[in-house]
Amino acid sequence: MPMTRSHALWAVATLLSTLLLIAPALWNGFPLLEYDTGGYLARWYEGTLLINRPLLYGLLLTANVPFAFWPVIVFQSLLTIWIVAVVLRTHGYGGRPMLVFGIIAVLSVVSTLPWITAILLTDIYAGLAILAFYMLLARSDQLTRFECWTFVVLIACACATHSATLAVMLLLSAASIVLTVFDRTRLPRMRVAQGVLAVVLGIVIVIGTNFMLVKRFAWTPGGFSMYFGRMLQAGIVPKYLDKHCPDATIKLCAIKDRLPDNADDWFWANKDFDKLGRFAGMSAEMERVAVGSVADFPLDVLRTTIIATAEQLVAVRTGEGVVNWIWHTYFIVKDWAPQLQPAMWAARQQKGEISFTAINALHYPVALVSMAFLPVILIMGWTGRLPRAFGDLAFVCILALLANAFVCGGLANPHDRYGARIVWLAVFVAGLALLRLYQQREGSAAPTVARDILAT
C-alpha cells in the first residue's frame, strides 16, 4: 500500500516523539541506570527470587544485553506514544499525529516522563497501566478489539513487573467493583470484569515466571519486609520491641538499641541485618513484628500511615536514584554483561555529570499545580464545562495518585521516585483539559498556527 501524507506524518511524529523520550539516554551516552536495575538484570542469571524484583522485566533486560539495552527504552517510548495517541483519539483528538508529537514534546520539557522512559526500570509501566485500565473501563466502546486485548496484556505485564504497581491496580480494581454497583450504566460489569481479569492475569504471570526461575510456585518476596521498614521508620518497631523483649524467639531483641531510624539504612547499609541473614533470614520475623505492631499500636499505625501517604503524595521530584554510586548495578553488569562496562562507565551518569536541581525547579511546581488542577477538571467534566470524559479521566488519575501514595508511602516509605513514576499523568490530563478549554474559548478565532496544528 502506498504511503499517504497521513502515514508520513505519523512516521515523522513517532520518530520525533521517540527521540524526545529517549533523549536523556542519548545525552547520557547509555540508558539511565538505578540501584534496582541490577536486581532485575541478575534474576535470570542468578536463578533466585529477590525482594520486589519479579523476573519478567529482568527477562526483557537479559534479552537486550547484546544491544546494550537500547531496544528496551525504545520499546518503552513507543508504548508510551501509542497509549498517549489512543487517549487523545478517545477524547476527540484522533488522527492528529503532530498533536501527539506536540503533547509528547510538552511532557518531555515540563514533566518527568522522558526520565522514566529512558531508564532501565519498571516505573513507566505503572502510569501506562493506569491509562490502559481507564480506557478499558470508560472508553472501551471507542477501542478496537485488538486494542482492548492489548491493554489487558499490558496491564497484566505491568502488574507483573513490580509489587507496588500490582497493589495500585488491585486498589483501582476494587474501586471499579464498588462503582459498578452504583452506576452499572456508565460502568458495565463486563468492562469491570475485563479490567479485573487483566490484574488477575498479572498475578498468574508473577507466579508462573517465578516457577520458571526457582521451579516452585512462589510469590516475589518483599511485601511485609517493606511494611516492617515503614513501622521501623515511624518509630513503632522500637515500641513493639520494648513491649515484648526480652524474648528468645525474637532475634531483633538483641539489637533493638542499635536499630536505625531509617528503613533504607536498615535494608541496604546495616551490618546487623546482614549478619541476621538479610531478607532470607529475617522475612518471617519482620512479618511477625510488622503485624504485631499493627495489633499493639493501631492508632499510632493509622496516624503515621496518613502522614506518610500525604508526604508521598507531594514527593514527586524527578531523578531520585539517577546517581553514580549504584554499586550493586555496576557489579551485576560486571558479572553478567562485562562487554557493556566501557560504554556504561563512559556515560555522563557514571561521571557524576547529571544534576536535577534546575530540572526540578520546573518539574516540581508543574507537578504540584497539575495535581491541584485535577479536582477542578473533575468538577468541570461532571458539570458540563468540559466533556464528561475529561472528568472521568481526572477522577481515575486522582484515584491512582491516592492509591500510589498509600501503597508506596503508607505501606512502605515515601520516596520521590515512587511519586514521579505516575505524576506525569496529572500533567498530561491537565494539559489535555487546558487544550480543550482553549479551543472552547477561542473556537474558530484560534490563531492560524494553532488551528493548523490541531487540525493536522
Side-chain angles (χ1 to χ4, degrees), residues 168-439:
V168 169
M169 299 310 297
L170 283 171
L171 290 175
L172 290 181
S173 297
S176 70
I177 293 172
V178 172
L179 290 172
T180 193
V181 172
F182 293 99
D183 193 350
R184 197 181 305 174
T185 302
R186 287 188 54 79
L187 197 59
R189 289 182 176 178
M190 283 303 297
R191 294 186 185 181
V192 172
Q194 199 172 29
V196 173
L197 170 66
V199 178
V200 172
L201 182 58
I203 295 173
V204 173
I205 292 174
V206 171
I207 296 173
T209 51
N210 284 348
F211 182 83
M212 287 173 51
L213 190 66
V214 296
K215 302 301 183 288
R216 59 185 172 85
F217 294 109
W219 190 252
T220 305
F224 278 105
S225 297
M226 292 296 97
Y227 192 58
F228 173 88
R230 165 95 289 275
M231 296 294 97
L232 177 66
Q233 193 156 312
I236 298 175
V237 167
K239 292 177 66 173
Y240 176 89
L241 295 176
D242 285 340
K243 179 179 179 179
H244 292 274
C245 294
D247 184 333
T249 66
I250 304 177
K251 291 179 282 187
L252 289 171
C253 286
I255 61 167
K256 70 183 185 70
D257 294 328
R258 299 199 302 271
L259 286 174
D261 58 4
N262 183 281
D264 287 338
D265 290 345
W266 169 247
F267 290 129
W268 314 117
N270 189 276
K271 293 182 179 179
D272 288 321
F273 186 54
D274 294 340
K275 291 177 181 178
L276 291 171
R278 297 187 58 75
F279 296 102
M282 289 296 293
S283 289
E285 182 164 314
M286 288 192 291
E287 178 179 344
R288 172 186 174 183
V289 172
V291 174
S293 296
V294 175
D296 287 355
F297 308 102
L299 293 181
D300 286 346
V301 170
L302 178 62
R303 176 181 58 83
T304 58
T305 298
I306 293 172
I307 292 172
T309 299
E311 290 176 350
Q312 180 61 77
L313 196 60
V314 296
V316 293
R317 292 176 177 83
T318 296
E320 184 183 40
V322 185
V323 292
N324 65 339
W325 39 266
I326 46 176
W327 299 108
H328 179 258
T329 293
Y330 298 154
F331 288 138
I332 294 300
V333 172
K334 176 178 179 292
D335 290 341
W336 303 114
Q339 68 272 30
L340 301 183
Q341 285 192 102
M344 180 185 74
W345 286 112
R348 283 184 165 89
Q349 179 183 354
Q350 277 56 257
K351 295 178 180 179
E353 296 177 2
I354 300 180
S355 172
F356 291 93
T357 302
I359 291 172
N360 279 312
L362 174 63
H363 286 189
Y364 190 59
V366 168
L368 295 182
V369 170
S370 298
M371 287 193 292
F373 190 39
L374 289 177
V376 178
I377 300 171
L378 170 63
I379 294 171
M380 295 179 76
W382 288 4
T383 57
R385 291 285 306 280
L386 281 168
R388 177 64 185 248
F390 285 72
D392 293 343
L393 180 56
F395 179 63
V396 171
C397 191
I398 291 170
L399 287 182
L401 287 166
L402 291 173
N404 185 74
F406 171 69
V407 169
C408 296
L411 299 183
N413 280 295
H415 285 281
D416 282 295
R417 178 195 149 199
Y418 301 152
R421 72 187 191 134
I422 69 167
V423 77
W424 67 271
L425 295 178
V427 183
F428 175 42
V429 175
L432 195 58
L434 288 174
L435 174 62
R436 178 52 65 95
L437 288 171
Y438 171 78
Q439 286 184 303

Side-chain angles (χ1 to χ4, degrees), residues 87-94 96 99 142 390 436 439:
V87 173
L88 289 175
R89 193 193 77 217
T90 57
H91 289 75
Y93 295 102
R96 301 180 182 183
L99 178 59
Q142 299 182 50
F390 285 72
R436 178 52 65 95
Q439 286 184 303

